[in-house]
Every structure is written in structure tokens, then in C-alpha cells.
Amino acid sequence: MKKIIFFTSVLMSVFVLAQVGINEINPTATLDIKSKGNTNATKALEVNNSSGAEIFTVLDNGNVGVNITNPTAKLHTNGSIRYENLPVVSGSVSPLAIKSDGTVGTYVPEPTKYLYMEMASTVTTSSFPLSDTGVYTSIPLTSAQSVTNTIIAGFGTDTSATLNVNSTAISSSNVRYISFPDPGIYKINLNYYTSCTGSPADSSSNMLGIGTALFKANSASTSYNRQAVVRYNGLPRRNDTGTVIAGPYNFAIPHTVFLVFETTAANEKIALFVNYGFGDTFTSNVCSLATPAGLSNKITMNISKL
């Protein structure tokens, strides 16, 4: 009889108070659970199905798991999520993004990283020949020409290097390179000008093919492999009757280069070169980087990370 009276009293207290505390003598909610721990190793609530599998978990650090026994985020689920009757959103929105580890957050596009360089017409550069396809003249860009460098590219010079062209290894000196700390896909837009004074040693072709070559090397290597060549065919100047005049290439020949290249490891290097392609030849060092009238730069280059 005493047991009946006790349980009746408890039930009446529950209905009257409408608040139940577990480990809490002063509940402030209908069901107030106070755990005995406060780390991610202790649980405040665990719900199991009839087979004993844990299907709902609340850790003492506030992480909630659905079909996850040890949730590592505020809401950690293992399985699909379904929404119904979602509101229609108008105006600007912030898109969601899912990382590879399954966490969800607001996607904020990363600003385009790029390297922009200018070489002023007043910068003195060395002359070079254009007569041998096996000779590569390094385009002398250094950190001094860097205007904007959000890629955080590095600059350096390899005093001696090997240029690998197909199966041929060519020795080269004072190779100027640019390195990229963040591996990825890059787009290069290079504009420069060349000119050759005097008349060519061989003018039978009446055309001068000049190539721009891009080589790549590992960060600690001086062995460069050719990735691409973009060739410009320079036509000599002629008089009104079509005859080639003296000094036919003594003007600024434009070179516009668009290339895409990939780096697969941190601090891989690229190097850019001027290279003879075919046609008229200048065997002595009478060719140089030039600046056309009205322009202030002989070289401009932009490299952006895609």
C-alpha cells in the first residue's frame, strides 16, 4: 500500500510540475538532462534501436550524431537528409559547399591569384643571335619586374642548367626562372618585342621564325623539360615594289603568347626563352628585346591561377 501511495505521489508531482530532471533537482524544461561529463568522450544522451544499434547521440561538448556514435561536428549525420516545404528565397544568396570530409559551409569564391610583371623600355638587356634552333636565350624577368604577386611566386637564376628538348639535352647558363608554391593549373599571357639590326646572314627565305619556349623543372632541379613553343613568323619590311629593304627586321616584332601549364608539386619552376625557328638568320648578337614607339614596356606578362 505504501508503494502505491509513493508512485502515485511521484506521478502526481510529474503531472503538476510538468518538468522532469535527470541529474538535475531544479529542472528548467519539461525534460532537463544534466550529464556528468563535459568532454567529447562522454555522452549526455544516447538512443538505441531495438537491435541495440546507437541511432542518436548527444555528446557533452554539444555535438549531435545521427547514426554516428562519436560525432565530430555540431551536427554529424551518416545517411541522407530530406527537406520538405522549404521557403522560396529571393534576392542574393550564399551558396553552400561540401568539403571532402563531409562538412558543409558557405562557399566564398577565392580571389583570383595572379602575377603581373612589366619590364620598362629603359631596362638594359643582352643581345642574342637568331640562327640556331639549339640555342635558347632566357627572357630576363626577375623580381624587379614584379608589379602584383598574389600567387607569391618566387624568382631565381640557375647559373647552369640542362634544357631537355625531345631526346636532346642542351646546356644553358643563367636561366631565369619563376617558381610557384601552390600546385595547380596556371594561364600565362606574355607580350614582348624583338628586333634585329642590319641585314640577315642568310635571307633566302625572306621570313624570320622566332619561337617562345616554356620549360619546367622540379624545385630542386636544374634539369628543365620543354613544355611548349609558340612561334611567330616575322615578315621583313619591303619597299613599294615589294623588294626587301636594308635592315628588314630592324623594327619591333610583336610576340603574343597564351599558354596553360600545370605544376604538380610545390615550388616547381618555369623558364621562358627566345628561340630561333627557321628562315632568315642573324649569326651575330644583333637581335634584342625591343620597345615599339609609343609604348613604355618591352615586356609585360600576367600569370593567373585557374
Side-chain angles (χ1 to χ4, degrees), residues 259-283:
L259 286 173
V260 174
F261 64 92
E262 180 183 16
T263 63
T264 56
N267 297 312
E268 283 189 337
K269 307 182 291 187
I270 68 163
L272 297 162
F273 299 86
V274 180
N275 174 243
Y276 172 73
F278 65 90
D280 297 343
T281 61
F282 290 88
T283 55

Side-chain angles (χ1 to χ4, degrees), residues 128-140:
F128 50 87
L130 285 175
S131 60
D132 189 335
T133 57
V135 175
Y136 290 83
T137 301
S138 184
I139 296 179

Side-chain angles (χ1 to χ4, degrees), residues 173-207:
S173 59
N174 296 322
V175 172
R176 302 286 178 85
Y177 67 79
I178 303 172
S179 61
F180 301 88
D182 188 12
I185 307 296
Y186 293 86
K187 178 181 67 175
I188 180 172
N189 181 4
L190 170 66
N191 294 275
Y192 70 101
Y193 302 84
T194 58
S195 68
C196 299
T197 60
S199 297
D202 177 7
S203 58
S204 59
S205 298
N206 291 326
M207 182 180 293

